[in-house]
């Protein structure tokens, strides 16, 4: 059951992050889930040591969702920089 919750929360987190980064039109549900789940890991690596807050997408909580969205926004920002460099270079 935990993996189903992880997919749903990861998808929501990826979707929210894509709205923040104006990439919603270019991403489908699959990539929203991937970005949200990977963003959760990145968010825990960033927010955990700084604020002592951790969250997991495997158990639904507001903290886990916020941490996942923060990490997903960071991930999409990195991807934007990589794609911008590839287009110009």
């Amino acid at each position: 059951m935990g993996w189903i919750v992880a997919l749903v929360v990861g998808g929501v987190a990826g979707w929210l992050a894509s709205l923040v980064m104006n990439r919603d039109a270019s991403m489908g549900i699959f990539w929203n889930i991937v970005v949200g789940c990977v963003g959760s890991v990145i968010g825990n690596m960033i927010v955990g040591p700084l604020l002592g807050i951790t969250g997991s997408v495997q158990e639904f909580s507001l903290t886990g969702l916020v941490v996942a969205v923060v990490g997903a926004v960071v991930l999409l920002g990195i991807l934007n920089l990589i794609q911008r460099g590839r287009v110009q270079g």
Side-chain angles (χ1 to χ4, degrees):
M1 185 71 167
W3 64 275
I4 294 173
V5 174
L7 292 178
V8 171
V9 175
V12 171
W15 174 67
L16 290 173
S18 69
L19 288 176
V20 169
M21 299 299 288
N22 293 324
R23 290 184 58 113
D24 190 40
S26 66
M27 295 178 59
I29 190 167
F30 174 76
W31 289 112
N32 283 337
I33 292 170
V34 170
V35 167
C37 291
V38 173
S40 176
V41 173
I42 293 171
N44 278 313
M45 291 188 321
I46 294 171
V47 175
L50 291 177
L51 302 176
I53 300 171
T54 58
S56 172
V57 293
Q58 288 185 343
E59 51 190 47
F60 181 74
S61 68
L62 186 60
T63 306
L65 182 63
V66 169
V67 168
V69 170
V70 168
V73 166
V74 169
L75 177 61
L76 288 176
I78 292 169
L79 291 175
N80 282 342
L81 289 175
I82 291 170
Q83 286 180 345
R84 186 181 313 155
R86 187 180 303 167
V87 170
Q88 292 176 356

